[in-house]
Amino acid sequence: MSKAGRLVVLVSGSGTNLQALLDASADPSYGARVVAVGADRDGIEGLARASRAGVPTFVRHLRDFPSRADWDAAIAADIAAHKPDLVISAGFMKILGAPTLDAFPVVNTHPALLPSFPGAHGVRDALAHGVKVTGCTVMLADAGVDTGPIIDQEAVRVLPGDDEAELHERIKTVERRLLVDTVGRMVREGWTVSGRVVRIGNHIGGENS
């Protein structure tokens, strides 16, 4: 069996996507393992999940650095120390800077079918717009807000009477499964990027170009 892909997962909250990746990687056939978990704040359940799984953690508070550029450099150095094949932004509430994005492929998720409804309120905005179908997106992160090349998407029906919390919970269930599936396929089969088109498979290794 080939060597398992190395994942560094970044979290800011409860870490449910992280837990899904930890659970999946317990099976050797998944092809990847979480080698470190980073955060931008202390005392969150995501870090507790990592600790319970015996995974090393690091925390970098933005307030501890004189500038955003200094924080960007520090978080990139923390990530690099663990030699990841993929970085997973799993509910991480900071936009990563060039030191990380230029060095590693970063996988992110969003609770809407991009390019519709980007930003912090994708579920709320979709409901307000009256759409009948929304969903979730797994993408490669870039310097923008939810603007990176799309890797995969899955639709979720909007049901009559849905409020934001109900719809978001159904999306998150799909999102966890889609993220785990997508990351596993990327590390097992490789991927290529041509312009905005991401293709998984028929390639040895990955490239972020």
Side-chain angles (χ1 to χ4, degrees), residues 135-146:
C136 57
T137 300
V138 179
M139 79 202 90
L140 288 170
D142 63 10
V145 177
D146 301 324

Side-chain angles (χ1 to χ4, degrees), residues 130-192:
V131 301
K132 306 307 179 188
V133 176
T134 184
C136 57
T137 300
V138 179
M139 79 202 90
L140 288 170
D142 63 10
V145 177
D146 301 324
T147 56
I150 292 167
I151 307 170
D152 206 349
Q153 294 178 299
E154 190 164 332
V156 174
R157 293 288 303 183
V158 180
L159 301 180
D162 265 345
D163 62 23
E164 183 180 356
E166 291 168 335
L167 179 56
H168 202 175
E169 279 304 312
R170 290 208 314 282
I171 291 172
K172 286 193 288 188
T173 298
V174 174
E175 179 184 78
R176 286 191 288 271
R177 175 172 49 76
L178 186 64
L179 176 64
V180 167
D181 177 66
T182 301
V183 168
R185 288 166 54 218
M186 290 175 76
V187 296
R188 291 191 305 270
E189 302 173 34
W191 74 97
T192 56

Side-chain angles (χ1 to χ4, degrees), residues 21-89:
L21 289 165
L22 288 169
D23 292 345
S25 62
D27 182 348
S29 68
Y30 182 62
R33 63 189 179 95
V34 179
V35 297
V37 173
D40 61 340
R41 62 195 70 184
D42 294 299
I44 57 173
E45 178 61 17
L47 290 173
R49 292 178 190 273
S51 295
R52 289 194 293 269
V55 174
T57 63
F58 58 88
V59 179
R60 290 291 182 180
H61 297 278
L62 183 58
R63 65 174 181 264
D64 293 338
F65 294 87
S67 71
R68 182 59 180 260
D70 291 313
W71 180 87
D72 286 337
I75 200 93
D78 287 330
I79 293 168
H82 296 281
K83 299 179 172 60
D85 297 298
L86 282 176
V87 177
I88 315 298
S89 180

